[in-house]
């Protein structure tokens, strides 16, 4: 049962993993008039599918084979050609591993962190996430669910802070995404990294334009 408590801790919005500094392309899409309150659920749906097909394979590969984390990190670097998404992934990866290291000073976690820092690398979020959850003894299915839940919750949290929707409506939309989350996990949790793909090119394009926004609340 102790791992159930750990999962709750890791998905708690109070866990300082750095994800709330990013909007997953929503801020750029909203400022360009491409997303409003009515179309927000569709954006969240597409963001979940995008994460499932493009990032989850790298997270699960590192979960299954933590010893090959440097390889998966390099493959993630090659896959993320969008400079904004690439930078966000590296920033989140470094924030995540730092928080895990300080929050769970266990021998297995310490050994993983030391191995990561012993060699140069990009430290992208998806493979770092998968490898650290394996070190924390979180189950594979739970790890996949946590990864996609973080995308859905983070996107809707950004929508609230941007003023696109309210907190209650955001929670309603998050609840309504449960079937979509389950379907994406069924389709994507066993994908190999060679099968990773960008399924929402518009989100990728909007996110790539983030640095050109006149004013920005989020890093990406």
């Amino acid at each position: 049962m102790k791992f159930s408590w750990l999962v709750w801790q890791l998905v708690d919005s109070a866990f300082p993993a750095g994800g709330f500094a990013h909007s997953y392309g929503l801020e750029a899409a909203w400022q360009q008039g491409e997303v409003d309150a009515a179309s927000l659920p569709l954006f969240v749906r597409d963001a979940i599918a995008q994460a499932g097909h493009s990032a989850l394979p790298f997270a699960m590969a590192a979960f299954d084979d933590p010893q090959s984390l440097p390889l998966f990190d390099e493959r993630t670097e090659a896959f993320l050609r969008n400079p904004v998404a690439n930078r966000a992934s590296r920033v989140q990866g470094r924030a995540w591993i730092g928080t895990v290291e300080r929050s769970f000073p266990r021998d297995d976690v310490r050994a993983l962190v030391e191995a990561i820092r012993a060699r140069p690398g990009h430290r992208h979020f998806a493979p770092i996430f998968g490898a650290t959850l394996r070190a924390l003894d979180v189950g594979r299915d739970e790890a996949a669910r946590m990864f996609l839940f973080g995308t859905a919750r983070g996107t809707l949290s950004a929508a609230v802070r941007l003023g696109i929707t309210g907190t209650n409506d955001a929670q309603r939309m998050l609840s309504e995404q449960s079937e979509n989350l389950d379907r994406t996990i069924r389709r994507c949790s066993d994908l190999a990294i060679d099968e990773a793909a960008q399924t929402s090119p518009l989100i990728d394009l909007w996110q790539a334009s983030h640095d050109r926004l006149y004013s920005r609340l989020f890093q990406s």
Side-chain angles (χ1 to χ4, degrees):
M1 291 297 293
K2 64 179 181 180
F3 297 137
S4 295
W5 293 111
L6 174 61
V7 168
W8 289 2
Q9 181 179 356
L10 291 170
V11 299
D12 191 334
S13 60
F15 191 73
F20 289 118
H22 305 272
S23 73
Y24 304 89
L26 177 62
E27 183 172 23
W30 176 64
Q31 286 204 27
Q32 294 173 50
E34 302 292 346
V35 176
D36 56 18
S39 60
L40 179 60
L42 294 178
F43 183 95
V44 177
R45 181 202 64 187
D46 291 344
I48 292 170
Q50 175 96 321
H53 286 85
S54 66
L56 188 62
F58 295 98
M60 293 296 95
F63 183 95
D64 294 335
D65 184 11
Q67 298 301 318
S68 298
L69 176 60
L71 170 63
F72 301 137
D73 191 41
E74 288 294 336
R75 292 292 298 272
T76 306
E77 172 70 14
F79 180 80
L80 290 175
R81 306 316 301 159
N82 175 341
V84 176
N86 185 296
R87 182 186 65 223
S89 175
R90 288 183 280 110
V91 169
Q92 285 184 269
R94 290 177 170 88
W96 176 266
I97 196 170
T99 299
V100 168
E101 178 187 23
R102 291 186 294 271
S103 302
F104 309 106
R106 297 166 23 174
D107 290 342
D108 46 1
V109 173
R110 187 177 298 111
L112 174 64
V113 173
E114 289 175 355
I116 292 171
R117 290 183 171 158
R119 23 177 120 182
H122 310 284
R123 298 172 191 168
H124 282 286
F125 176 65
I128 290 288
F129 180 92
T132 52
L133 262 62
R134 177 66 177 268
L136 289 168
D137 295 321
V138 174
R140 192 180 194 278
D141 290 343
E142 289 177 320
R145 289 179 180 278
M146 289 169 61
F147 188 86
L148 290 185
F149 176 78
T151 298
R153 184 192 61 188
T155 305
L156 285 167
S157 173
V160 171
R161 282 178 287 167
L162 289 167
I164 302 174
T165 191
T167 53
N168 291 332
D169 280 339
Q171 289 302 310
R172 173 184 55 77
M173 282 183 256
L174 182 58
S175 175
E176 291 171 349
Q177 290 296 327
S178 59
E179 184 177 343
N180 183 34
L181 286 163
D182 285 336
R183 181 171 57 251
T184 303
I185 288 171
R186 289 193 301 269
R187 290 176 176 173
C188 303
S189 62
D190 292 321
L191 290 178
I193 58 175
D194 289 338
E195 298 175 288
Q198 298 282 4
T199 59
S200 300
L202 285 178
I203 290 181
D204 195 50
L205 288 170
W206 290 326
Q207 188 176 31
S209 70
H210 187 86
D211 287 349
R212 296 194 295 273
L213 298 179
Y214 178 75
S215 61
R216 301 185 295 272
L217 180 62
F218 297 93
Q219 295 182 29
S220 70

